[in-house]
Each structure stands twice: as C-alpha cells, then as structure tokens.
Amino acid sequence: GTRAFGVTLRHETRPVTVTVHTQLDDTAVLARWLEITNNGSEPAVIDAIAPWAGRLWKVGDLSTPLLGVTPFALGRYHDYRWSHEGQFGFQDLPLGETQVSSGSHACGLVVLRNQVTQEWLIAHLAWSGLWQMEFVRAAHESDGTTELFFQIALAGGDAARRVLAPGESCRSPAVHLAVFVGDLDTGVQALHDHFRQSVAPPAPPGPRHLVEYNHTGYTQNVQRNEEQFLSEVEIAAQLGVELFMVDAGW
C-alpha cells in the first residue's frame, strides 16, 4: 500500500512553513515534494524552489591513476533538439560543480552511478517547464573521502516563481527517485513500475487500443482553425474513428 509522511519546517523570522512530503508505495521509488504556506498577513514571494537537495554519497577517494576511475558518473540526455532528445550517455563528474539545464524538448530524468559502491540513483522531475540540476563533488584531504551533493530546482527567467497571498499554500512538482543496486535496466523498470502504480491514471474501461485520428500527421504542423477542425471531426466520425487527437505537432 501507499504510505505518506510529512515534516513541517517553520522559518524563524518569516511567517512561512514548508512541509517536506515523502510518499512510498510498494515499489523501490519514492516521491518527494514541498508544500509552502504563507502564514503572514502580506504576500510572500517564492524566488527559488528545489524539491530535492542534499548529500547523496560519501565514499573513499579512489580517483587515483592506479585504479583509473572517478567515483561518480552522470547519465543524462545530451541533446535537447527536436528528434534528438533520446541521445542518452554517461560522463564522469569532475571535482567542483556540474550544472545541467533543460532545453525546449528536455526530459527531467537523471541517472547517477556510484563507481565505488556500485550503487545507482535514478530521478525524474514531474515538471514540463524549465529546470536546473546541480551536482557538486567535493574532496576532503583530511580523510581522503569524496562527497556528492545533488539538487533539482525549477528554473526560468521570472524573478518570482510564485507569489502567495496571505494564508495561501502551493505544492512544488514532485521528484520520483530511487537508489538501487543492479544496472540501468533495474532502475528504469523500477521507475516504470512506480509510474504505473502511483502516477499514471487508470486506463478507462473498454478496448485498450482505440481507433485514433491525429491531425498533425498530414498537416505537418500547419496552423488549423476551428472550422477546419470541426469538419475533420465529422469526417473522422463517418470513418468510425473513436478518438480525435489534437496534436501540438512537435
């Protein structure tokens, strides 16, 4: 079954509370989101929000020439151009900060591989807007360890992400995340199981595969008006089509 937990944090000087929500189901993946409430008498501006932030791993520093490996690798989509979105690959994470920002066709999915412990992390931000991920690898000479810090935040050009009226609350997009041992397929299948169980709405009753009419296939993204669409709906109905899809075409 599904279990949900919440930890509420209260600001010391401003009348704002943040509840950190964590939801678990019967899969290996958890969901994390923030709920922000303005308890004051004046509007409150949210200028930055990161649904996930903190230290992920701390390991012994094995990035020596003898072993020839760096502790952590980042897997992500490297090309955000249309029709190139699926170019997924791994890169070693150097010391310092590495930032990854979304593009116009970006997918908020990231995979991290701990090359020391053979642990993995897979995370997906449920947000179709702009986002930014930060990865900070820090080395400590005192004990020879290396840490990895990881943050997912919303991005965009507006100075204010949201303005809350007095007494108003808002919820951030959720991060769906799992730490696991195995390989990339293990994490992807766990994410699919989680989405089917806890994210995707149940399929409507009746046949699973309806006869569909999608207008963008032959118009090639040419702009259509209401009259043209309605005439196409009539044609589709005469053909026995069960689902008429209005497609943005990209």
Side-chain angles (χ1 to χ4, degrees), residues 53-237:
R55 190 180 77 176
L56 178 58
W57 285 308
K58 181 178 182 179
V59 299
D61 187 1
L62 301 183
S63 57
T64 65
L66 178 64
L67 295 171
V69 298
T70 54
F72 311 114
L74 166 65
R76 64 184 182 91
Y77 294 103
H78 288 266
D79 197 331
Y80 297 149
R81 295 175 297 164
W82 176 85
S83 82
H84 294 258
E85 307 95 315
Q87 293 190 15
F88 186 89
F90 283 90
Q91 65 188 78
D92 289 335
L93 281 175
L95 286 171
E97 182 178 296
T98 300
Q99 290 189 353
V100 177
S101 298
S102 60
S104 57
H105 298 88
C107 175
L109 173 72
V110 65
V111 177
L112 290 166
R113 183 172 62 207
N114 187 325
Q115 304 189 129
V116 178
T117 66
Q118 302 306 310
E119 294 175 281
W120 296 68
L121 174 141
I122 190 167
H124 201 299
L125 177 64
W127 178 246
S128 61
L130 299 178
W131 47 261
Q132 180 171 291
M133 301 185 187
E134 295 182 359
F135 311 88
V136 178
R137 179 185 156 204
H140 306 285
E141 295 182 0
S142 59
D143 58 3
T145 59
T146 297
E147 295 178 293
L148 181 62
F149 298 85
F150 169 44
Q151 174 178 288
I152 301 179
L154 306 190
D158 295 336
R161 300 281 174 260
R162 179 76 178 267
V163 178
L164 296 181
E168 184 182 8
S169 298
C170 74
R171 169 176 168 166
S172 77
V175 175
H176 302 270
L177 181 145
V179 176
F180 60 95
V181 175
D183 56 19
L184 181 58
D185 286 343
T186 305
V188 171
Q189 294 306 318
L191 204 58
H192 286 174
D193 291 342
H194 169 71
F195 286 165
R196 294 187 185 107
Q197 177 170 322
S198 302
V199 180
R208 289 298 182 94
H209 301 287
L210 301 177
V211 179
E212 180 181 332
Y213 181 108
N214 189 307
H215 86 279
T216 197
Y218 64 89
T219 61
Q220 297 184 354
N221 303 335
V222 174
Q223 296 300 310
R224 312 287 284 175
N225 59 38
E226 181 180 2
E227 182 181 357
Q228 292 169 323
F229 269 124
L230 292 177
S231 66
E232 291 181 37
V233 170
E234 293 298 328
I235 295 173

Side-chain angles (χ1 to χ4, degrees), residues 23-80:
Q23 180 173 294
L24 308 174
D25 55 19
D26 294 326
T27 71
V29 180
L30 62 84
R32 163 69 54 80
W33 69 92
L34 306 179
E35 183 180 5
I36 305 168
T37 301
N38 177 13
N39 300 303
S41 58
E42 300 291 335
V45 176
I46 302 174
D47 58 6
I49 184 168
W52 185 278
R55 190 180 77 176
L56 178 58
W57 285 308
K58 181 178 182 179
V59 299
D61 187 1
L62 301 183
S63 57
T64 65
L66 178 64
L67 295 171
V69 298
T70 54
F72 311 114
L74 166 65
R76 64 184 182 91
Y77 294 103
H78 288 266
D79 197 331
Y80 297 149

